Amino acid sequence: MRNLSKKIITVQYKWLINTPSPTLMRQASELSEKLSIAPVLCRLLIERGITTESAAKRFFRPQLSDLINPFLMKDMDIAVDRLNDAMGRKERIMVYGDYDVDGCTAVALVYKFLRQFYSNIEYYIPDRYEEGYGVSTKAIDHAKEAGVKLIVILDCGIKAHKQIAYAKSLGIDFIICDHHVPDETLPDAVAILNPKRSDDTYPFKHLCGCGVGFKLMQAFAKNNSIPFSRLIPLLDLCAVSIAADLVEVTDENRVLAYHGLKQLNQNPSVGLKSIIDICALTGRELSMSDIVFKIGPRINASGRMENGKLSVDLLVEKDYNVAILAAKHINEYNDQRRDIDKQMTDEANIIVEKLQSQSQQSSIVLYDENWKKGVIGIVASRLTEIHYRPTVVLTRDGEMATGSARSVAGFDVYSAIKSCRDILINFGGHTYACGLTLRWEDVPEFCRRFHKYVDLHIEPTQTEPTIKIDATLDFRDITKRLYHDLKRFAPFGPGNIKPTFCTMNVYDFGTSKVVGREQEHIKLELVDSNSNTVMNGIAFGQSASARYIKSRRSFDIAYTIEENIYKRGNVQLQIEDICPNEE
């Protein structure tokens, strides 16, 4: 039972324990002999489609040579030709991107690479509060005044039909690098790079916006005989965007994330190094989780609170002394964001508790004209986690409402939003996250339609909080060798989720205690009844279970296996759920 919010609730998770078939057990045993790793980990490999020794070696050691030929992407040859023409004619180029992590890293990557070979180039991030999402008329007018002839737009633009037509009328061309779901008709751009295009046969469909930008730079380098090694220093930006944008960490993304993390750990760019230092992550081996919870939110913070351009300024900075001052500034924005996020989430939870109708529906839609636009996406995510229902959070922006939608596992919230498209001014996103804009007067009608669509299409099991358990272990199975072999499965993320294990009938060894500034966590020392082996663990936000644990009664735990960062080399459990046996 996990405590997710002081104001609300303990969530009762349903455990879905994977029970392997005899055939799978036999295959895992055979693979274990070839790889010399535990059979339980070989089971996890096979379940990921890795069934041979050679496939396992490719999985554990992704090679940059496995990256897909960028020219297999639709319009890539056209995009490279237009970029070459712009440089040959000394045209001014603008690199334009969204104000979130994916957009900012994408702009930084493309700008940093091109400026090595070309100086007549600038970058632009729209102001969330003045211009809103995507391509703005203000930005196009600025481009016209600055003499820009070509805009390379990243992580947005796939639905900007009117704006791109306007730019074309002013003599400005667009190359779109996007990964969001396109409409049936595409904007009138010179080239549209998006693996989700229905007419694109590119083998991997799950690149993030920064990933599409990287493919454009890879193609540009290949076309101009620039060594691939010149691209490697930019891979840290790819890893940050892949982690923060929660795209699948499989196939090409796995290669980019693996080598991007290597770059981030060994030789990060000046801007990212300053963020790492501000986050007190220096000297640690950084993981995708560190990006998601530490680095990413800080890059996001300037776009949420003020203007995302500040983050790009930092990411392209060459002077560490300048960068560290900018990182401190962005860190202050992140602190402000956290305070506002907590306040808005508390307010939203109170509304949900009071609205009887919400408790009877399989979705949540909340709106308040005073909520801060830059934080509503985080609040939607929090509400989805707490209440386990597709959630839309809206705020007022003049005569318009702007909002963010988040979903639960297995439910396509993009389709739910799309079903209301006739009353939407704009919308975009993917299966689990969307943004939308509509008239404020249409919000009640949107609520009615969204609730109805979700009620008709969601399965009851999709609103049940679940934890997928990969395997049951005894504590004696959890060795340093197992942990080090498990680390080779990284980088983790969607499509390659960090394995969750369970152990049944464990007891407090007698030394478990509540810890944390607000006494919200439990530091555990546990013994299992099967092997009498003692393990240390930490249960974040689960102090509600402390009294039961201290009663010395048995309980079951679900957990991931981690390294104790305070005691290097020691393994500990990160407890995801505590289930008293009497329940």
Side-chain angles (χ1 to χ4, degrees):
M1 193 179 292
R2 187 178 176 190
N3 182 25
L4 291 174
S5 166
K6 287 185 184 176
K7 285 194 170 284
I8 309 211
I9 63 173
T10 46
V11 173
Q12 186 68 56
Y13 285 98
K14 179 180 180 181
W15 291 14
L16 304 176
I17 301 176
N18 183 18
T19 305
S21 67
T23 302
L24 178 56
M25 294 285 282
R26 187 182 68 254
Q27 291 173 330
S29 179
E30 292 170 357
L31 190 58
S32 174
E33 290 182 12
K34 295 174 183 175
L35 298 176
S36 297
I37 65 174
V40 66
L41 298 186
C42 289
R43 269 176 46 199
L44 302 184
L45 285 174
I46 293 167
E47 286 164 354
R48 285 161 169 73
I50 300 157
T51 58
T52 64
E53 185 177 2
S54 60
K57 288 179 178 176
R58 286 196 303 276
F59 178 75
F60 288 141
R61 292 191 293 275
Q63 301 296 310
L64 288 169
S65 57
D66 291 333
L67 291 174
I68 300 166
N69 179 355
F71 286 101
L72 293 179
M73 192 177 293
K74 180 82 172 175
D75 280 4
M76 185 63 80
D77 53 342
I78 301 170
V80 171
D81 286 346
R82 182 65 185 88
L83 199 51
N84 285 333
D85 287 346
M87 291 182 171
R89 294 197 289 257
K90 294 184 168 49
E91 294 176 349
R92 187 152 186 82
I93 299 171
M94 175 188 282
V95 184
Y96 185 115
D98 188 20
Y99 36 61
D100 68 358
V101 179
D102 192 15
C104 289
T105 53
V107 168
L109 185 150
V110 171
Y111 177 79
K112 284 176 74 172
F113 190 68
L114 291 180
R115 77 174 177 186
Q116 299 174 76
F117 315 102
Y118 191 68
S119 60
N120 196 13
I121 185 170
E122 64 177 276
Y123 57 86
Y124 190 99
I125 303 291
D127 186 291
R128 184 193 293 263
Y129 295 94
E130 289 187 11
E131 298 169 78
Y133 172 79
V135 187
S136 74
T137 303
K138 178 183 175 182
I140 294 170
D141 290 340
H142 165 78
K144 177 65 177 175
E145 290 174 15
V148 170
K149 293 294 184 182
L150 175 65
I151 296 177
V152 179
I153 187 164
L154 299 135
D155 193 36
C156 54
I158 198 64
K159 293 190 174 185
H161 295 80
K162 291 180 182 177
Q163 297 89 334
I164 289 174
Y166 173 60
K168 189 172 183 180
S169 73
L170 299 177
I172 301 170
D173 287 337
F174 266 81
I175 295 172
I176 297 174
C177 302
D178 206 348
H179 70 120
H180 296 102
V181 179
D183 278 337
E184 289 76 13
T185 57
L186 299 173
D188 188 15
V190 169
I192 299 175
L193 308 178
N194 186 332
K196 291 190 177 78
R197 285 179 60 166
S198 59
D199 58 348
D200 195 333
T201 57
Y202 191 74
F204 185 64
K205 301 296 182 185
H206 304 290
L207 291 168
C208 58
C210 187
V212 178
F214 178 84
K215 298 308 293 186
L216 175 58
M217 294 302 94
Q218 185 188 0
F220 173 80
K222 189 172 185 178
N223 181 262
N224 288 280
S225 301
I226 300 168
F228 182 84
S229 58
R230 299 284 293 271
L231 288 161
I232 291 175
L234 302 170
L235 289 173
D236 53 4
L237 292 166
C238 284
V240 169
S241 64
I242 288 167
D245 218 51
L246 298 175
V247 291
E248 285 196 9
V249 189
T250 57
D251 300 320
E252 189 161 41
N253 277 346
R254 180 172 173 81
V255 177
L256 293 170
Y258 178 90
H259 289 278
L261 276 175
K262 189 176 176 181
Q263 185 72 23
L264 194 65
N265 279 290
Q266 294 178 359
N267 189 23
S269 66
V270 168
L272 286 173
K273 175 71 168 67
S274 69
I275 298 174
I276 291 166
D277 291 346
I278 285 294
C279 294
L281 294 172
T282 311
R284 277 178 49 182
E285 183 180 357
L286 301 174
S287 67
M288 300 291 269
S289 182
D290 292 317
I291 296 171
V292 171
F293 294 108
K294 299 283 188 178
I295 297 171
R298 283 163 173 82
I299 296 173
N300 248 336
S302 64
R304 293 190 185 282
M305 304 305 295
E306 289 292 336
N307 191 307
K309 185 175 181 295
L310 299 174
S311 289
V312 182
D313 293 343
L314 172 59
L315 292 174
V316 303
E317 181 56 57
K318 296 177 181 179
D319 185 327
Y320 180 80
N321 292 323
V322 175
I324 197 69
L325 290 175
K328 288 176 181 176
H329 191 45
I330 282 174
N331 197 51
E332 290 170 4
Y333 279 138
N334 192 52
D335 290 341
Q336 294 171 26
R337 185 273 307 164
R338 269 199 297 237
D339 292 341
I340 294 170
D341 156 22
K342 183 180 184 306
Q343 178 189 337
M344 284 171 55
T345 301
D346 288 345
E347 290 174 4
N349 278 326
I350 291 169
I351 295 170
V352 173
E353 286 182 312
K354 287 181 178 178
L355 288 176
Q356 186 65 30
S357 61
Q358 296 279 7
S359 64
Q360 296 171 348
Q361 288 170 323
S362 49
S363 58
I364 294 171
V365 183
L366 298 180
Y367 49 97
D368 187 307
E369 58 184 73
N370 297 313
W371 283 343
K372 192 170 180 67
K373 185 161 65 167
V375 184
I376 53 177
I378 301 175
V379 176
S381 295
R382 300 247 193 270
L383 293 174
T384 303
E385 181 186 4
I386 291 168
H387 300 284
Y388 220 75
R389 284 179 280 171
T391 299
V392 180
V393 178
L394 298 155
T395 188
R396 189 163 188 165
D397 185 10
E399 296 304 309
M400 298 296 169
T402 184
S404 289
R406 298 293 184 269
S407 194
V408 295
F411 182 77
D412 184 356
V413 77
Y414 179 85
S415 295
I417 298 293
K418 187 177 179 181
S419 71
C420 307
R421 66 183 305 164
D422 61 301
I423 58 170
L424 301 180
I425 304 299
N426 195 13
F427 74 100
H430 44 79
T431 304
Y432 295 118
C434 290
L436 63 153
T437 305
L438 67 159
R439 296 177 194 85
W440 183 255
E441 64 190 39
D442 289 333
V443 168
E445 176 64 10
F446 169 79
C447 294
R448 186 189 68 78
R449 290 206 213 169
F450 183 82
H451 285 314
K452 183 177 180 181
Y453 182 96
V454 177
D455 286 342
L456 287 172
H457 292 86
I458 201 164
E459 298 292 332
T461 54
Q462 290 173 335
T463 59
E464 284 186 322
T466 58
I467 293 181
K468 293 182 179 178
I469 308 291
D470 291 278
T472 303
L473 298 178
D474 291 337
F475 283 172
R476 63 185 162 209
D477 301 324
I478 305 171
T479 62
K480 289 183 180 179
R481 172 69 185 273
L482 181 87
Y483 169 72
H484 286 297
D485 286 339
L486 188 59
K487 271 183 69 175
R488 298 167 69 192
F489 281 67
F492 296 113
N496 183 39
I497 296 295
K498 181 178 287 187
T500 299
F501 303 98
C502 69
T503 300
M504 307 300 186
N505 295 315
V506 304
Y507 299 84
D508 177 25
F509 190 60
T511 53
S512 298
K513 60 183 178 180
V514 174
V515 296
R517 184 181 302 171
E518 299 180 29
Q519 300 285 285
E520 67 271 41
H521 315 309
I522 317 175
K523 190 174 186 296
L524 297 154
E525 195 166 11
L526 304 174
V527 60
D528 76 335
S529 55
N530 279 348
S531 66
N532 287 321
T533 304
V534 178
M535 285 295 302
N536 292 316
I538 183 75
F540 293 113
Q542 299 183 64
S543 57
S545 297
R547 182 175 295 180
Y548 184 92
I549 290 168
K550 296 301 289 182
S551 73
R552 303 298 294 273
R553 288 175 285 178
S554 73
F555 51 96
D556 304 333
I557 55 171
Y559 55 86
T560 58
I561 302 172
E562 313 288 345
E563 183 180 36
N564 186 329
I565 60 171
Y566 301 107
K567 295 180 181 178
R568 285 293 177 83
N570 287 2
V571 176
Q572 73 170 8
L573 310 181
Q574 183 166 313
I575 313 297
E576 300 298 320
D577 197 30
I578 297 168
C579 185
N581 278 331
E582 65 185 29
E583 295 183 9

